[in-house]
Amino acid sequence: MKLFALMLAPLAFTTGVFVFAGVLGPMAEDLGVSVGHAGQLQSAFAVTCAISGPILAILTGRLGRKGILVATMAYMAVMNALSAQMPSFGGLLTLRILAGAFGALALPMASTIAVALVGPERRARALAVIYGGVSLAFLSGVPVGSIVGEAYGWRASFLLAAALCAFACLMVLVFVPKVPAPPPMAKGAFAAVLRWPTTGYLLVTMLAFAAIFSAIGYVGPVVTKLTGFSGPGVGAVQMISGLGSILGLTIGTRMVEGGARRPLIWLFATIFVAQGIFAAGLIGGAYGGLGLAVAVIAMAFGSTSLFGTAPIVQTRLAQAAGPAATLAFALNGSMVYLGQGTGVILGGLMLGARGLDYVSTAGMAVAVVGLLLAWALRTRTQTLAPAPS
């Protein structure tokens, strides 16, 4: 129950980030902006998280982990509820930035507590459970947000996210025990985290998410273009991403435990293929049954490969971060958010320059960079050394 309660934090948080992705069209029309502009609500939130996460990790280094997580989820519940009431795009953008600024600790705090609750031999599985919350957000939370938004208006999607955050807050408060605050980070700990190959693994996370979110950030319009679906249909297709993410976490965990050789190369290659399938379908004019097959296959392969990278990176950070574990997790969380925001921005640029059909080509280009990075890391089996004590 402890890990389940912790898993709810990233589930609720991630749902709040992308809960309106399936109703971008109606939302943009209601707010009087383009779909590309509406999509930037996601990137603004994510990039703010990326910037504030490490700063908050340092500032809260000596505070209780559980208390911070409870406060974070309560804050997100309030911010999502306020987002549902905002009448203008500018006001909503401001709220999303404020939400991202202080919500960035949800994933690293949940990860840090999970590591503290289990032994070293169970770290990979515990971290996979925490990332499972992100997977379940794409499997259930975000699709349900699309369905609710289609039925009751996009503002109802934010109310759903607020309710989930409040429930997660309550579950953590009741079922998660207090864990000792980590010892203060030694002088030079930040520098120890930011050295190669640790920086390489952090970039793996950023590039993997950026490659996928160039298209997934616009999943509503993309799925509608391929299938003609809206509302519940878009939500049903979105669930494929969640199923793939659960499969990816399982595969990534087994790669870690089985000592797989060069797993990141294979995962980035599959990400490239997934974005290529999206591009072929959109540019080639696939529609109906063929378009549905394109959407399902591309989303399944993409999300499986994306979340396959998570246990690999997280486990290697956890193995050697020592007193700087929270900082390492916060930085990796920042890469998740920065990757999401960067992907949405790149997809939006391609949307403005060439149209919706080409959004995933930006992801293909990012996946190539990821392949080169994975090749550079291919012989590395160790991550950062423990922070100096």
Side-chain angles (χ1 to χ4, degrees):
M1 184 58 75
K2 293 178 291 187
L3 289 180
F4 173 76
L6 285 172
M7 180 190 67
L8 290 175
L11 187 160
F13 179 81
T14 304
T15 297
V17 180
F18 301 106
V19 71
F20 56 89
V23 288
L24 272 180
M27 182 181 185
E29 183 178 357
D30 189 36
L31 293 173
V33 298
S34 68
V35 171
H37 274 86
Q40 299 315 309
L41 290 169
Q42 300 169 103
S43 61
F45 185 105
V47 171
T48 306
C49 281
I51 295 171
S52 63
I55 297 173
L56 290 175
I58 294 172
L59 294 177
T60 61
R62 297 297 296 139
L63 300 179
R65 310 290 88 182
K66 176 181 175 179
I68 294 173
L69 184 57
V70 168
T72 298
M73 299 316 300
Y75 175 81
M76 290 304 302
V78 172
M79 296 305 290
N80 280 309
L82 290 175
S83 295
Q85 311 303 319
M86 190 55 60
S88 67
F89 177 80
L92 185 55
L93 179 64
T94 300
L95 277 180
R96 300 315 287 167
I97 291 173
L98 290 174
F102 295 98
L105 286 173
L107 184 56
M109 283 300 121
S111 299
T112 301
I113 295 171
V115 168
L117 291 176
V118 301
E121 72 282 356
R122 296 181 59 200
R123 280 176 175 170
R125 293 189 178 274
L127 290 169
V129 169
I130 301 306
Y131 262 82
V134 180
S135 300
L136 287 175
F138 290 108
L139 176 63
S140 57
V142 176
V144 171
S146 297
I147 296 171
V148 169
E150 180 72 18
Y152 301 105
W154 60 267
R155 298 181 189 278
S157 299
F158 282 112
L159 292 177
L160 171 67
L164 283 175
C165 288
F167 178 65
C169 177
L170 179 63
M171 291 292 287
V172 171
L173 184 64
V174 173
F175 291 105
V176 175
K178 292 183 178 180
V179 297
M185 286 183 289
K187 183 178 180 181
F190 201 97
V193 173
L194 293 181
R195 66 188 183 198
W196 183 266
T198 307
T199 49
Y201 289 115
L202 294 174
L203 285 174
V204 163
T205 297
M206 190 202 78
L207 292 173
F209 273 90
I212 294 297
F213 274 82
S214 66
I216 296 301
Y218 302 91
V219 64
V222 166
V223 172
T224 299
K225 176 72 181 289
L226 288 170
T227 66
F229 294 166
S230 62
V234 172
V237 175
Q238 283 178 301
M239 292 178 69
I240 301 300
S241 179
L243 291 171
S245 63
I246 293 173
L247 178 60
L249 288 170
T250 302
I251 291 173
T253 300
R254 291 183 178 178
M255 284 178 167
V256 171
E257 295 177 343
R261 291 174 57 82
R262 302 177 181 178
L264 294 176
I265 293 177
W266 292 105
L267 293 172
F268 269 112
T270 309
I271 288 173
F272 177 85
V273 170
Q275 296 307 293
I277 293 172
F278 260 136
L282 289 167
I283 297 172
Y287 188 75
L290 179 59
L292 177 60
V294 166
V296 168
I297 292 171
M299 291 184 75
F301 273 77
S303 60
T304 299
S305 304
L306 170 63
F307 283 88
T309 65
I312 298 170
V313 173
Q314 286 282 82
T315 300
R316 291 178 180 177
L317 292 178
Q319 284 172 347
T326 298
L327 176 59
F329 288 139
L331 286 170
N332 197 53
S334 290
M335 294 302 103
V336 171
Y337 308 135
L338 185 60
Q340 291 170 350
T342 300
V344 173
I345 290 171
L346 293 175
L349 290 174
M350 193 60 69
L351 174 63
R354 298 297 303 275
L356 182 66
D357 292 351
Y358 290 86
V359 291
S360 64
T361 59
M364 295 174 68
V366 175
V368 170
V369 178
L371 272 170
L372 295 174
L373 175 62
W375 182 258
L377 289 166
R378 68 191 184 281
T379 60
R380 294 285 188 171
T381 58
Q382 302 297 323
T383 60
L384 65 160
S389 57

